[in-house]
Amino acid sequence: MLGIENAYVLLHGWHNHLPLSRILDQTESIRAKGMFRYLALSGHNRLLFSDLAKDLRLDILHIRYNVTHQGAEKEVLSQFDPGKRVPLVTYTATRWGNRLVNPGKMPPGEKLLRGVSCCFVFSNPNVDGCILGQVVSLEMREAPAALDHGPLTPVEKQWVQSISDYVCDNSWRMFFG
């Protein structure tokens, strides 16, 4: 179907509860055949992630985290010790593809976040990877610069936080205005 023999990572997406045992058993039988190497699981129930991290069948946890979804910082990322845990990969760094890179969603006169939103997630030492969710090729070209930039400075963190606060305070306009 895909024209490949195996995959590096198999992602069980959007689970807000641990998948049923039979699903995980079938997944393990597929892994035993060499069809994939690592099992990742994503979900929106952040409080579940500390329990998921204890399940030895899961190799990677995939969690939503960006400048406007910082609850993951308190509820998940702060619960882990860097280097002593399952790898954590974040997604929606640009908040569903365009919420943080759309001039109409920014505070008046503010420059767009674009790639810096990835710097934000990588400023947390418990983040090992990030799925950017680019919408346009410009964002794809900007992403490597975010990696070269490294973690945000305190001034940049304050700037990003002010945008986050604005976007969160005005989020109803994003959908209705």
Side-chain angles (χ1 to χ4, degrees):
M1 179 184 319
L2 294 175
I4 61 173
E5 292 182 24
N6 55 43
Y8 200 65
V9 175
L10 174 67
L11 172 65
H12 277 302
W14 204 338
H15 284 273
N16 289 323
H17 304 282
L18 184 65
L20 298 173
S21 291
R22 67 178 173 80
I23 292 173
L24 288 174
D25 290 345
Q26 290 173 345
T27 301
E28 286 303 314
S29 71
I30 293 169
R31 186 191 326 229
K33 294 176 184 175
M35 297 180 77
F36 72 94
R37 187 168 178 183
Y38 297 106
L39 177 59
L41 186 129
S42 75
H44 290 261
N45 180 359
R46 294 187 301 240
L47 300 176
L48 177 67
F49 276 78
S50 59
D51 290 336
L52 292 175
K54 297 171 190 167
D55 192 316
L56 298 178
R57 297 169 291 189
L58 301 175
D59 303 299
I60 301 167
L61 296 178
H62 200 216
I63 185 166
R64 180 174 54 171
Y65 177 51
N66 61 51
V67 298
T68 60
H69 282 99
Q70 296 178 27
E73 217 166 84
K74 291 181 288 193
E75 296 169 352
V76 179
L77 300 172
S78 67
Q79 306 300 313
F80 295 95
D81 293 325
K84 298 178 183 176
R85 56 169 171 72
V86 63
L88 297 169
V89 174
T90 66
Y91 60 95
T92 65
T94 57
R95 195 173 189 219
W96 306 306
N98 70 355
R99 299 283 194 254
L100 294 175
V101 295
N102 182 331
K105 310 299 182 194
M106 293 292 104
E110 192 63 72
K111 64 181 180 176
L112 297 178
L113 288 176
R114 293 197 193 271
V116 79
S117 60
C118 302
C119 297
F120 169 81
V121 299
F122 283 125
S123 291
N124 188 303
N126 280 329
V127 172
D128 299 296
C130 176
I131 304 298
L132 305 175
Q134 294 89 354
V135 174
V136 296
S137 61
L138 172 64
E139 294 168 21
M140 189 64 178
R141 289 191 304 272
E142 291 173 340
L147 296 175
D148 291 339
H149 180 281
L152 297 177
T153 66
V155 170
E156 290 170 324
K157 282 183 183 179
Q158 185 177 4
W159 167 62
V160 169
Q161 185 63 53
S162 71
I163 291 175
S164 172
D165 293 344
Y166 178 86
V167 170
C168 289
D169 291 346
N170 293 281
S171 63
W172 64 273
R173 292 185 189 146
M174 293 183 184
F175 297 103
F176 303 109

